Amino acid sequence: MVSPGALRVVRCGGSALRGARAVYLLCASGDFVKVYSVNTEETLRLMGGHADLVTGIQLNPHNHMQLYSSSLDGTIKLWDFMDGIPIKTFTVGYKLLALYAPASAEDSVFVVIPKKGERDTFQLVSVKLTKGAGQDLEAKELSVVLDGVGASVKHIAFGRGGAYVVSVKDVNLQVYFFKRKLLNRFSLSTVKKKGGDNRFSCVVCHPTEDCIATGHADGKIRLWRNFHNRKEYTYSTLHWHHDVVMDLAFSMEGTRLLSGGVESVLVQWHNESSCQKDFLPRLGSPIEYISMSSDGALCCTLHTDNRITIINSNLRFSRSIQGLIKSRDVKTGLVVDPRTKALVLNGEPGHLQFYSLQSDQQLYSLDIVQRQYIHQAGLKQSDLVKVAFSAQGTWLATVEESEEVTDPELQLKLWLYHEETQSFRLNTRINTPHDNHITDMCFRDMDELGDDSLILVTTGRDCVFKVWGMVEDADPEAQQSVSWSCDFVGSYHNYQATNCCFSEDGSLLAVSFEETVTVWDSLTWDLKCTFCHPPGNIRNICFGRLTCSKYLIGATDYGFLCCWNLLTCALEWSAHLNVVVLQPDPLSEHIAAVSWLSKESSLFVFKPNEPRPIYIQRNLCKEKILLAAFVPRDEPEMISSEKYLWLRKSQLFFLTDTQELMTLSTKSLEERLTLSSKQLAVEESLPVTPFSVLLGKHRRQQAQEDIDLGKPVVHNKQEQASPAVKELLHTPAHVLPSASFLCTIFINSLLISKENKSAEEVADEVEMESEKAEDDSDEEDVTEMEQEDTSHMELLGETTCKLSKSQEKELRKIRKTDYSWISAF
């Protein structure tokens, strides 16, 4: 637990889905359990409470509204996942690697734990869940069921009615019968013949029969029978996969067997026959886990790229929930889209993914390379390596190159954003922009509207940097009005150019050439000054911002962080720090530096004008941090502690070498869920129907239009508080009674009693009587103000101001004037 307001590291995306099977809308991801909506694909709820990775989730077999979860923190939690409330926490005291909750176990669950005193050896044990009044209980009563089991959840399965448990590891299969306390072991040959590999990869049991299905490393599936006897057992073989079978699942009735692997194809086997099978191909990435819904109507596949695919029982694709795609190598870095505030980085091979931090889902994927990717080891193919956005997000620059080390194929592409299609369209393609690998690129960060100030700079290992600018196309029949071409080529003593960045006002360009940083005038391209800090090449450079704009920061690969003063052209200060990530905040003077030393990532936040950091976080995470990015907030966050004020305008995200996206926040991830997700999840503990959502949106739009036109917004409290209206709007259509039955109740709920007139009706009647009295009277207006009892208003700190009759008359005339013509403008 952390104290309120303390800063903590939160996993917010990219967490591996392996380690737990998906359980119908529920999925383990990092330290959390996510609840998804099948219909809307929204993240409805995040259930957080574990202090380490969640390794298993299982529905409570005796109450399907509850969920068990296990974690490496040594605890088992029982959740009410509809409300996201933890009911019980059972402390086991061991690292829990997998969780099983068969219906035959009344008050216990099964977990996989490390065996004491032995490395990489695991046991399947039964844990008795202690009954007690408190929320935190200890579950220390463990009994060993099997020794030498695999650590993966896919290596153990429970048989028909929980009568036996099956474990696979290497080429060995174990079956333990609970009632007879009998253990049968079976082994396959370890000799690989004709490319065959008998090692087990997964196991699953038939729901109604004594049949075991096992997957193997060579793509074969074996169906075992008569395993009650060690000598009379039999098995049949199914074979379609060309590589390892990654998971298996039986349908609820047991008539179909589903299998998946690296081919990204879901195979459905009928009647245990190799001849009768169906396929669902092109699922995008290797299938890592397969799970069936409790009613058998849906199948769920989890993929290696963090995608969840929901499939109908007739093997038809239904929906896909895409999280942060795990790319082989994030070469583009973490880039923020100025339009959507989404993180942009490598996705599928040759694609850019736009990832929403609020919903933990992919917004869309942009095909940059536009070539078919072939999944074959050793094949040299083109991939995306660099990405940069202009200040307003109108232009996108990408660099793609082949995997050849000596003579790569390079392409620089400029993409223009089109409002009509709400996407980027290719504007200019430049083949071989440099003679060697491109090391960095950046736009001049200025207002690009209406002038030619927008330029792009690229640096390369060919020892030059190039300046690219827009030119107008003179051909009137050209499809586009502007294109890009090279305006200037710069170099410095034939050194390799490694990094580049512009100052905040765009007047200066800094380019690093190995051990030297050069500063150039962006108007004349004259070399202004150089800074050198040998030994060690410059790894990162950035300019200071706002009040620190006169400073230039650089980090070397020999472990030095340097700050140079641009006015005095001298070194302001330096620090001995092995900085691997240097990231400035675009909305403040703060700069974040992440160091890696002795297998520990540490964070330092500082201002260039002060050599002392304003914030230090040692041992930020166990993994090595490779990339970081400041994402501007929509609204500044209220920060209570002064040492966390650097997080007020922007939020820092960083990506580890295991491609987990993390952030620093004083709030939990649940509190940062978007309002729309929460609205779709729950409103007053009732499901929100699509009709209710549409009606609410229409009411909000109508209210906004009334406000814009100067109309008073009338809130019918009686309508809002009507139970009949709430039931009609929030009850699913398939359980509503007939319309004839609801009509009378609905109409009566809208009727207003004559005795209880609303305040608006009373005001209208008083106004009508006043107008009639004035029309009948020819007397002069009386300016004397009548005294009223205002004591009830003064108690609220307000006073009323009375108007004379002449002023009221003028006000009524203004009210009657039609100003609706203004709305046309």
Side-chain angles (χ1 to χ4, degrees), residues 142-172:
L142 309 180
S143 52
V144 179
V145 179
L146 283 176
D147 263 328
V149 301
S152 173
V153 68
K154 295 186 286 189
H155 291 168
I156 295 175
F158 284 80
R160 175 180 50 85
Y164 53 89
V165 60
V166 185
S167 168
V168 295
K169 185 179 183 182
D170 296 330
V171 292
N172 301 312

Side-chain angles (χ1 to χ4, degrees), residues 608-628:
N609 58 354
E610 299 176 6
R612 186 183 301 273
I614 61 175
Y615 179 78
I616 299 176
Q617 176 68 51
R618 303 281 185 183
N619 194 16
L620 190 63
C621 65
K622 300 176 183 178
E623 300 85 4
K624 183 179 180 179
I625 295 175
L626 301 179
L627 303 166

